[in-house]
Amino acid sequence: MRPDPDKKKIAYVVKTFPRLSETFILNEILGVEKLGVSLEIFAVRRPTEETAHPAVSRVRAPIHYLLGLGLRSPLRGALSVIGAHMFLLYTRRKQYLAAFRFFAKERAGVKWVDFIKAGYLARILLRAGFSHIHAHFANLPTSTAEVTSKLTGIPYSFTAHAKDIYLAPVDELRRKMSGATCVITCTAANQEYLRSIARAGTPVHLAHHGVDVVRFEPKGRTATAPQGGKPLILSVGRFCEKKGFPYLIEACRKLKDRGHDFDCRIVGYGPLEAELQTLIDHLGVGDCVSLRGKMTQDELVPVYEQARLFVLPCIITEAGDRDGIPNVFLEAMASELPVVSTSISGITELVDSGQNGFLVDPRDPVALADAVEKLLRDPALCRRFGARGRAKVLENFTLEASARRVRTLLLAAAGEALEAEPLPTREAVYV
């Protein structure tokens, strides 16, 4: 079926797609597509990872990479970019020059190449009849959407998550919010902060991320008899400061000193990998703590089933970076795992300490070890917490509920209900 030219289109602008650590964007795209929203994805950068979640193959939206990368020749790509800017300059001279002056004044660390990309994107959207832009993350993708909107007059909205909120200059974030038709964020804590800095009239909506509860439904876990006879402590996340992995490793040293026999697996990748391995070696816990590298969601499902509990001791960094609600908590709780974390940011919206897990103060390996020890000693408590955790996810954090919420907000922002259109799964480049 050919797309109906009278129907409005939504362009999804992201930094990179697909990306292994951004399952929440992949889940959202799949969810809203299932509900009939037709999207096209515009990635500012190409992915550099070789590993991708198998679910990416189910995305119907075409994926476009900016600047004509992937064309048959660099010359052809360069001519396409130059042609896009020349078209805008001659057909929308006032808008183009105003956008140019705006970018020169307000770019706040964004590179000039990103203005070039925005111009290329603007030409694509005008030619294809897009009528709304939605960006994921308030930093580079929203900067691209903001300038593209000024070049074209097409309105934009964006979803803000974590680092892009708390590490952004307040004036820059406020400006982007004031220019948007609406802002979406994934935790009530984020929503409260964004509303506190927003100018009057900027709507800030809450849409929690969701998880596929069928995919992570527990199948035959036996908490009293973990694999290999040792209880498995599982942790998953990027190896970056805000995840707090050093405190988990230190807590494991304390648990080992207390005589506990366990297996702690930390699944992930990132810039702190060498530092974490050095700490494991220094503390002498290599026999019970291991870094397991990248895994897709499909590969993680059986690991969740083997685990006794899930631990991720998130922190707020000195620069202010923090998590919202990491999707791995939703996956773990949907898998009926009790969770141990810290009482920061949006985590308290999901984890009820003493009911479906334990929350301790950040940067406190002793308190972390104490909480983990309670669960290691009491398999029945693990089962109770796990059942309550899955119930909490089923009530408030399903993929279906999240997708319905985002769909409603996107359609309102676009100004017209959209119908589903069968789009091929492909990597596409406009010329």
Side-chain angles (χ1 to χ4, degrees), residues 135 137-139 142 157-178 180 182-207 322 324 345 349:
F137 288 100
N139 42 31
T142 298
S157 56
F158 66 92
T159 298
H161 295 274
K163 177 173 69 174
D164 55 318
I165 298 174
Y166 297 104
L167 297 188
V170 171
D171 288 345
E172 178 188 339
L173 189 55
R174 183 183 290 122
R175 186 199 71 233
K176 290 176 177 178
M177 293 172 65
S178 67
C182 74
V183 177
I184 304 172
T185 192
C186 52
T187 73
N190 289 351
Q191 183 186 37
E192 181 179 359
Y193 173 73
L194 291 171
R195 283 179 170 174
S196 74
I197 67 171
R199 291 173 181 150
T202 303
V204 182
H205 302 287
L206 173 63
R322 69 200 73 182
S345 191
E349 298 167 37

Side-chain angles (χ1 to χ4, degrees), residues 42 63 83-84 117 127 141 171 182 245 277-278 280 311 328 335 382:
F42 295 86
I63 305 168
K117 292 179 181 180
R127 185 173 63 184
D171 288 345
C182 74
F245 287 125
Q277 187 60 57
T278 297
I280 290 170
V311 185
V328 288
S335 303
C382 288

Side-chain angles (χ1 to χ4, degrees), residues 259-282:
H260 290 283
D261 192 15
F262 60 89
D263 177 17
C264 177
R265 301 179 196 173
I266 304 175
V267 176
Y269 65 101
L272 299 185
E273 182 171 358
E275 182 177 319
L276 294 176
Q277 187 60 57
T278 297
L279 181 60
I280 290 170
D281 297 338
H282 175 71

Side-chain angles (χ1 to χ4, degrees), residues 3 10 20 48 114 123 130-131 134 145 172 230 294 313 316 318 322 357 359 371 399:
I10 295 178
L20 198 65
T48 58
D114 296 309
R123 177 68 179 104
F130 283 86
S131 56
H134 185 76
E172 178 188 339
K230 295 181 181 181
K294 298 179 180 180
I316 299 176
E318 294 297 326
R322 69 200 73 182
L359 297 178
L399 182 58

Side-chain angles (χ1 to χ4, degrees), residues 47 107 129 194 250 262 327 355 403 408 410 415:
R107 59 196 184 102
L194 291 171
E250 291 176 22
F262 60 89
N327 257 42
Q355 295 297 313
T408 298
L410 285 178

Side-chain angles (χ1 to χ4, degrees), residues 4 6-10 131 410-419:
D4 185 342
D6 296 326
K7 291 297 181 182
K8 295 186 178 182
K9 298 180 181 181
I10 295 178
S131 56
L410 285 178
L411 296 186
E416 181 180 327
L418 305 179
E419 294 179 0

